[in-house]
Amino acid sequence: MRKIAKLLLAAMLVVPAMVSAKNKVVVVMVDGYRWQELFRGADSTLVNTKEFGNPDMMKANFWRATADERRRALMPFTWSHIAKNGVMIGNRDKGCRMSVTNNMWFSYPGYNETLCGYPDDKNINSNAPVDNPNMTVFEVANNTPEYRGKVLVFGSWGRFIQIFNEKRSGLEVNANYRHSLAKQPTERELYVDKMQDGAPRYWEEERFDVFTHEYAVEAMKSRHPELLFVGYGDTDEWAHAGNYRLYLEAANDVDRFIRELWETAQADPFYKDQTTFIITCDHGRGVSADKGWFHHSREVDRSNETWLMAFGAGVPAKGVLTSGEYHNNQMAATVASLLGISFAPQHEGAGKAITF
Ligand SMILES: [Zn+2]
């Protein structure tokens, strides 16, 4: 009954072009995925280097004559849907830049900056399992009466448990090799638990993205979170391993995952046309064609360069932006503004919401 009253109120108050109080937001992060592949597709030197994977396979799947065809082959949903209906930030070839403001240029500091809205190099300067002293916008939302209990977090990397500070925030964080955390798992969740248990634990603290994704999609269908985080990590792991073939395939998987999250939302009246998607990364990678692209850190030139894309409710169809300078510290405030909750971290380096 309360929900119906709220919906009626929201419907009465809704003003065209403004986001209603019950807008839903899906945040996707793709660990260490470069803007170079997002906007240019597969790299000509890397797909021809045997040491980085089977060139025949890489070329058959992702090599095409032009950069536009290459990026479409790599991320078909991104270029057929997001580029047409949303906003894409960070194409430096066109004059739009995005970067992290922290001075670390690796994962935990990148997630902290992006999810909390400011860098914290004093406290977050390693990937060690330290409970985050800062509050993510997810925790802030979960502390409001409107979104309490309606926030869910899924991630491949085990560190999300500390990044979202599960202990303090009370957020449900399904990361690493955890099973479904639903009180009454669906049949499908039990099946994903079983598949995950039977698959190789190739990385000690990070499962393959397919499991993270399946849990997230099933939770959207069965539990209807209104603020959802999905953190994919295969791209970063395969790049660190120097395997360009699997890095490209991971990016291609992520594109398909995003499409499935979007189609799941649009097929459900709970989400349809009232859900905003924001997709970004935690850092870039190096650019040199020998092994520079393997890694990222303060010592790896240009690995602070990032990107962001948004589409869905409240996002205009501007396509690839050709100017402007953006930073990861703006993401948390952007999410808060889409949710309609107040968010004003009193911390040095806090970023302002992006107006799309
Ligand atoms: Zn990372």
Side-chain angles (χ1 to χ4, degrees), residues 131-354:
D131 282 326
N132 198 340
N134 307 306
M135 219 184 257
T136 66
V137 67
F138 289 74
E139 181 172 351
V140 172
N142 198 48
N143 286 341
T144 65
E146 292 89 351
Y147 289 98
R148 179 162 300 135
K150 295 167 181 166
V151 182
L152 288 178
V153 174
F154 297 86
S156 298
W157 192 26
R159 197 61 65 250
F160 287 120
I161 294 162
Q162 290 82 31
I163 292 170
F164 285 91
N165 199 332
E166 173 183 72
K167 268 188 239 156
R168 182 192 63 220
S169 68
L171 289 168
E172 186 182 303
V173 182
N174 183 339
N176 206 352
Y177 290 95
R178 284 182 168 175
H179 281 180
S180 167
L181 299 172
K183 285 201 181 75
Q184 289 185 308
T186 64
E187 219 171 288
R188 188 166 177 82
E189 283 167 329
L190 295 172
Y191 184 65
V192 178
D193 291 347
K194 185 182 169 197
M195 295 291 279
Q196 181 177 255
D197 286 348
R201 294 187 178 218
Y202 189 79
W203 301 300
E204 292 176 2
E205 276 193 295
E206 183 162 354
R207 64 186 168 205
F208 290 137
D209 287 337
V210 62
F211 302 114
T212 300
H213 176 70
E214 290 296 328
Y215 285 125
V217 168
E218 185 65 3
M220 270 184 98
K221 291 178 180 169
S222 61
R223 299 173 66 194
H224 285 145
E226 297 181 12
L227 174 59
L228 172 68
F229 176 86
V230 190
Y232 299 116
D234 290 5
T235 40
D236 188 65
E237 292 287 1
W238 291 126
H240 281 302
N243 194 322
Y244 198 60
R245 175 175 73 81
L246 289 172
Y247 170 80
L248 292 176
E249 289 179 14
N252 183 249
D253 287 338
V254 162
D255 179 81
R256 201 173 52 253
F257 294 156
I258 295 166
R259 186 183 69 198
E260 196 180 352
L261 290 167
W262 173 248
E263 286 174 353
T264 301
Q266 287 302 89
D268 188 336
F270 183 83
Y271 291 110
K272 187 174 164 52
D273 299 333
Q274 38 181 324
T275 305
T276 311
F277 277 58
I278 301 189
I279 302 152
T280 187
C281 63
D282 56 332
H283 51 75
R285 330 192 66 80
V287 292
S288 80
D290 51 355
K291 292 181 179 178
W293 64 278
F294 286 18
H295 302 301
H296 53 85
S297 77
R298 190 68 217 202
E299 280 70 54
V300 180
D301 199 29
R302 302 185 59 184
S303 58
N304 59 326
E305 298 176 358
T306 57
W307 51 269
L308 180 146
M309 41 195 196
F311 65 107
V315 182
K318 289 184 179 167
V320 176
L321 300 193
T322 54
S323 64
E325 175 106 39
Y326 298 85
H327 296 101
N328 282 59
N329 66 357
Q330 299 181 266
M331 228 276 303
T334 307
V335 171
S337 135
L338 289 164
L339 293 174
I341 60 171
S342 61
F343 181 76
Q346 298 302 306
H347 197 286
E348 202 185 334
K352 288 203 171 68
I354 298 170

Side-chain angles (χ1 to χ4, degrees), residues 42-50 53-65 69-70 73-74 244-245 248-249:
D43 181 282
S44 63
T45 313
L46 305 185
V47 292
N48 281 298
T49 307
K50 235 194 261 167
N54 183 327
D56 293 338
M57 278 178 82
M58 289 195 271
K59 284 191 281 190
N61 288 327
F62 305 119
W63 188 254
R64 304 291 183 272
E69 289 170 283
R70 286 196 289 280
L74 187 61
Y244 198 60
R245 175 175 73 81
L248 292 176
E249 289 179 14

Side-chain angles (χ1 to χ4, degrees), residues 76-139:
F77 176 72
T78 298
W79 290 100
S80 64
H81 187 89
I82 304 177
K84 242 191 188 158
N85 300 288
V87 170
M88 297 180 73
I89 288 170
N91 188 347
R92 286 171 182 254
D93 294 333
K94 297 281 182 200
C96 180
R97 301 145 66 89
M98 180 158 169
S99 56
V100 296
T101 64
N102 71 75
N103 285 305
M104 303 289 132
W105 307 3
F106 56 84
S107 299
Y108 196 156
Y111 287 110
N112 173 76
E113 174 177 338
T114 309
L115 300 170
C116 302
Y118 49 87
D120 183 7
D121 292 353
K122 189 168 149 263
N123 294 302
I124 310 296
N125 47 34
S126 82
N127 280 338
V130 176
D131 282 326
N132 198 340
N134 307 306
M135 219 184 257
T136 66
V137 67
F138 289 74
E139 181 172 351

